[in-house]
Amino acid sequence: MTGAPGGTTLLVIAKEPVPGRVKTRLTPPYSPRQAAALAEAALADTLDAVLRAPARRRVLVLDGAPGPWLPPGFDVVPQASGGLDERLAAAFADCAGPTLLVGMDTPQLTPALLEPALRPDAWHGCDAWFGPAEDGGFWAIGLAEPDPSLFPGVPMSTDRTGEIQRRRLTDAGLRVRDLPVLRDVDTAADATEVAARAPGSRFTAALRAAELRPEGVLTPPGFAGAGRTAAR
C-alpha cells in the first residue's frame, strides 16, 4: 500500500453497511435496515471529506464489498482478520511515509478538521497525530513512520481506549499532536447530537428519513427538534 513521494496517505477503515452487521447499537430504536442506511450515509460523508482533503493517496480499508456509496479516487484493500487493534496494525503495516487513518463513525468530518495533519509542515517536529473521541476512544490516528507494533494489545471499545493508545505513542518516544475532539455515532443519542452538528450532511438527511418511521420504528425522544434545527 505504498504511494508516491510527498504528502500524506489517508486511510478510511470501514465496514460494508449491511443490515444487521453495522451500527447494531442503534437497534432499537431504529431497524437494522435504518441503522445500515445511517452507516452508509456516515461512510459516504467520511469518504467525501477525505476526497476533498489533500493527500498523496486515498485508501479504503474495507470489511466487505464496495457499493455505489464508494466514489472514484480510492484504492480499496481488504481488512485483516482479528480484533480492531490487529486490523489497525495491518492497515499501517502496508503503508510507507506519513499516514493518517480515520474511521467511518464521524460524519461531521470536514477537510478543515483534517487540515492540521495534512498541511506541508504537519510532520515538522511531530511523529504522530491523534484525534480523541468524546466517548474515550479515538477517531483518527496518524504516524510519520507507520509502525504496526503500536496497536496490538490496546483494548478497543472502552472509555480508556484513547488514553491507552495515546500513551502507547508517547511511551514509544513519539512526539504527538492532537486533532479536535469529535463525537462518534454509536447510539441513538449520538446520532441526534452529530446530526445537529452537521446539518448539511448525508447522515442528517438519513436520520430525518428514519424519523418518518416508514418501518414503524420509534424515533429517539428529541430528534424531531434536532431535525428542524438541521433542516436547510
Side-chain angles (χ1 to χ4, degrees):
M1 199 188 295
T2 57
T8 295
T9 295
L10 279 172
L11 307 179
V12 179
I13 188 164
K15 181 181 289 187
E16 180 186 1
V18 175
R21 293 193 64 239
V22 292
K23 293 296 164 205
T24 55
R25 291 174 63 188
L26 293 177
T27 306
Y30 301 109
S31 72
R33 187 184 301 273
Q34 288 172 323
L38 290 169
E40 179 175 332
L43 178 53
D45 284 328
T46 301
L47 295 174
D48 178 67
V50 168
L51 196 61
R52 291 185 290 117
R56 171 176 57 176
R57 189 181 180 205
R58 299 170 184 86
V59 181
L60 175 62
V61 186
L62 183 63
D63 176 4
W69 40 263
L70 178 65
F74 284 85
D75 296 325
V76 180
V77 299
Q79 281 188 37
S81 58
L84 180 56
D85 58 330
E86 297 169 297
R87 287 179 277 140
L88 292 174
F92 277 95
D94 288 336
C95 296
T99 301
L100 180 70
L101 177 144
V102 300
M104 62 178 284
D105 297 334
T106 50
Q108 70 272 46
L109 185 65
T110 63
L113 289 168
L114 295 171
E115 189 269 340
L118 299 178
R119 58 194 178 207
D121 63 350
W123 301 99
H124 293 175
C126 174
D127 304 304
W129 284 90
F130 191 77
E134 288 185 12
D135 63 2
F138 59 94
W139 64 271
I141 189 165
L143 297 170
E145 295 294 337
D147 180 355
S149 71
L150 295 169
F151 300 96
V154 174
M156 296 291 160
S157 301
T158 78
D159 60 4
R160 297 189 62 227
T161 294
E163 172 193 349
I164 295 169
Q165 182 65 76
R166 195 183 190 285
R167 188 167 63 243
R168 179 73 71 86
L169 302 177
T170 57
D171 285 350
L174 303 185
R175 298 163 295 179
V176 182
R177 293 177 184 165
D178 291 312
L179 292 165
V181 179
L182 294 184
R183 184 165 181 168
D184 286 337
V185 174
D186 292 317
T187 67
D190 295 331
T192 298
E193 178 61 29
V194 169
R197 298 180 188 181
S201 66
R202 296 171 180 83
F203 181 80
T204 296
L207 197 58
R208 285 203 298 266
E211 187 187 17
L212 297 176
R213 303 188 297 278
E215 299 179 29
V217 179
L218 293 178
T219 301
F223 182 67
R228 286 193 293 271
T229 300
R232 285 183 169 179

